[in-house]
Amino acid sequence: MSVSPSPTLPPDGAARAPGADRPPRLRARWAVLAADFMVLGLNYADRAAIGVAAPYIIKEFGFSETAFGWILSIFAVSYAPFGLIGGWAADRFGPRKAMGWAALAWSAFTAATAAGVGFVSFLIIRILFGAAEGPQATVTAKLMNTWFPRRELGTAVGVANAATPLGGAVGTPVVVAVIEATNGNWRAPFVIFGVIGVLFAIGWFAVVRDSPEQHPWVRPAELREIRAPHGDRTARRQQGTRSEPGTPGDAGAPGEGDGSTEHDTRTAGGAAELESAQLPGMWHYVARPVIWATALAYFGYAWILNVFLTWFPTYLVNERGIDLAQLAVAGAIPWVGGCVGMIAGGVATDWLVRRLGAAATVRRWTIVICLVCTALLFGCIALVEDTGQAVALMAVIVFLLYFTGAQYWTVVAEEVPGPRYGSVAGVVQFIAGCAGFLAPLVTGAVVEHARSWATAFTIAVVIAVAGALLLAVAGRRKPARGTELP
């Protein structure tokens, strides 16, 4: 991998150029975040298109709900393992290449959806599409973990992933508008999104680098700002408060907290970094209760999200009787709630961490509380009688669901050093990705055979609540002696 000239951190006490200590007004890391935001927004616009076009595809090819459920679910057969592969690729080749090539691939398969001519062809296209889209979440987590200081990580991950519901919010009316403008041609939006994706991938390669050290836009002051010891931890030490045990990035003495020497190893440089070969393997971290409990809670999150993503438009058309023009608005409103929720969750938890200090506890209980509330409200969707109420309730549900969205990755970041972060995040993504296969398939089968949307929604409630409660219990860590943090 070629490395472009980059700023370096001068040794303490060394002379620095005038103004070098002053952070720039426009920080390069926000440009990288903006590029990631754009790509993820397109990713979900592409993914949401199949849900909006579903009534047309089902009508044209005469698919049953179960058959179309297979078409929707087969996406996750490849999406889940490629989330794992994407995390490994981000560690091995860098997030720039991993995401850039993935974006080119999923754009090609988005356009190829228009070539579907039957059940088998749709299955093949969707499984290839899933493989191409699989890396996006873990690559994003790796990129944000590398580019942002820990005190801003929740905000960065939240803002980046806010693009996913925004992509759905924008993509839904765009797909509807294109279909209407082309007299019911559901194939046209897939071709258009495919072309846009190629342009976005070119922009990605132009803006993004794997780390701040490689980026020509990063000034020394910003690099020090990113790589400096965490100010919130320093402040707590000065107040006599111990930092959380086992939290990577701790600038304290080796062995402090949980006795680990796994401090901030997110970067490729710096005297405190441990070489990847010196760290335990990936499965050492995956085996930690808080990691696999987080993965199972994320599975519950993904179950509700995938039911909404794949079946909610069909539910509104078939069960609530709304037409295409109404779908453009009703299908987009909940996504707006999700966009706001994702950003608010990241900002709010970063603020709480700065105030309270217990990063892992704050982020874990944010997941538990919001996911339980999300699940219980989701079970009420089929019970409300008015379509407007159903859409408004779904907006609240998606807001609460996405409020937790950044937290799964930040909980992992509190446990896993940088050189292992992408791979461990990939395992978490793989487990959650399995819900992407099961949720659409089970929902379609239940609706077809039981003729009950309420039953399908209840299944989602049970799965999400179980994951949240498991994280509440298994995610607890024994405090180190002398600290009161859980």
Side-chain angles (χ1 to χ4, degrees):
M1 179 188 303
S2 60
V3 178
S4 56
S6 61
T8 57
L9 292 174
D12 291 340
R16 293 173 179 144
D21 287 322
R22 189 184 311 118
R25 291 183 179 179
L26 298 177
R27 292 165 172 81
R29 61 182 180 271
W30 296 105
V32 172
L33 175 58
D36 193 78
F37 183 93
M38 296 292 289
V39 169
L40 291 192
L42 178 67
N43 179 283
Y44 257 64
D46 291 348
R47 202 183 307 184
I50 191 74
V52 178
Y56 295 89
I57 298 173
I58 291 172
K59 182 179 180 180
E60 178 174 332
F61 295 99
F63 295 137
S64 67
E65 285 86 353
T66 300
F68 198 70
W70 273 103
I71 291 172
L72 295 174
S73 293
I74 203 69
F75 166 90
V77 170
S78 54
Y79 181 86
F82 271 84
L84 175 59
I85 293 170
W88 169 83
D91 282 345
R92 177 67 179 83
F93 303 108
R96 180 172 181 257
K97 288 182 179 178
M99 183 75 89
W101 287 106
L104 288 171
W106 85 57
S107 298
F109 294 122
T110 297
T113 304
V117 294
F119 182 71
V120 174
S121 63
F122 275 108
L123 288 179
I124 294 172
I125 293 168
R126 290 287 294 174
I127 200 168
L128 293 172
F129 179 61
E133 288 217 331
Q136 56 88 14
T138 46
V139 174
T140 292
K142 170 76 174 183
L143 188 68
M144 297 302 104
N145 192 51
T146 301
W147 268 88
F148 282 82
R150 192 76 68 197
R151 67 181 183 276
E152 296 176 354
L153 185 58
T155 299
V157 176
V159 171
N161 284 282
T164 61
L166 184 62
V170 174
T172 297
V174 167
V175 172
V176 169
V178 172
I179 291 174
E180 285 187 325
T182 55
N183 298 317
N185 182 359
W186 61 265
R187 293 174 171 85
F190 290 96
V191 175
I192 292 171
F193 281 168
V195 173
I196 293 173
V198 173
L199 299 178
F200 274 35
I202 294 172
W204 170 270
F205 280 115
V207 173
V208 174
R209 298 295 183 271
D210 290 328
S211 70
E213 288 82 0
Q214 297 176 4
H215 208 299
W217 298 352
V218 176
R219 291 170 52 182
E222 183 180 4
L223 187 60
R224 283 192 297 276
E225 190 177 51
I226 295 171
R227 299 306 182 216
H230 310 306
D232 55 328
R233 295 180 186 280
T234 302
R236 290 202 305 277
R237 285 198 187 90
Q238 291 172 349
Q239 296 167 5
T241 304
R242 294 282 300 276
S243 65
E244 272 196 277
T247 306
D250 191 342
E256 185 178 16
D258 66 347
S260 169
T261 58
E262 296 160 10
H263 304 305
D264 194 348
T265 57
R266 291 180 293 155
T267 69
E273 182 194 353
L274 296 175
E275 293 294 336
S276 179
Q278 296 177 271
L279 293 170
M282 170 182 75
W283 298 107
H284 167 82
Y285 301 101
V286 174
R288 292 181 175 180
V290 70
I291 296 297
W292 54 259
T294 299
L296 293 175
Y298 196 28
F299 179 90
Y301 164 99
W303 189 286
I304 291 180
L305 177 60
N306 279 280
V307 171
F308 169 68
L309 179 67
T310 56
W311 282 111
F312 191 63
T314 300
Y315 168 75
L316 291 176
V317 172
N318 294 347
E319 192 73 8
R320 297 289 178 171
I322 71 172
D323 58 24
L324 186 63
Q326 293 172 314
L327 181 60
V329 177
I333 288 175
W335 287 116
V336 175
C339 180
V340 175
M342 183 68 84
I343 296 174
V347 173
T349 52
D350 275 355
W351 180 81
L352 286 172
V353 168
R354 287 193 294 269
R355 293 293 299 270
L356 303 177
T361 302
V362 167
R363 301 190 191 284
R364 177 165 57 90
W365 280 102
T366 297
I367 294 172
V368 172
I369 294 171
C370 290
L371 191 56
V372 169
C373 292
T374 297
L376 296 179
L377 291 175
F378 191 70
C380 299
I381 284 290
L383 303 180
V384 298
E385 297 181 356
D386 180 74
T387 300
Q389 293 176 353
V391 172
L393 181 58
M394 198 68 223
V396 175
I397 290 167
V398 177
F399 171 86
L400 290 172
L401 185 69
Y402 272 95
F403 198 91
T404 73
Q407 307 316 311
Y408 305 95
W409 306 117
T410 55
V411 168
V412 174
E414 293 295 330
E415 292 285 332
V416 181
R420 295 286 183 266
Y421 182 84
S423 299
V424 175
V427 174
V428 173
Q429 175 66 22
F430 171 77
I431 293 172
C434 293
F437 170 73
L438 294 172
L441 183 62
V442 170
T443 301
V446 168
V447 170
E448 179 179 2
H449 297 293
R451 294 296 171 188
S452 173
W453 285 97
T455 301
F457 294 157
T458 300
I459 292 172
V461 170
V462 172
I463 291 171
V465 169
L469 295 180
L470 184 62
L471 180 60
V473 177
R476 296 183 64 190
R477 294 185 296 181
K478 294 181 180 180
R481 180 175 299 178
T483 180
E484 298 178 356
L485 294 176

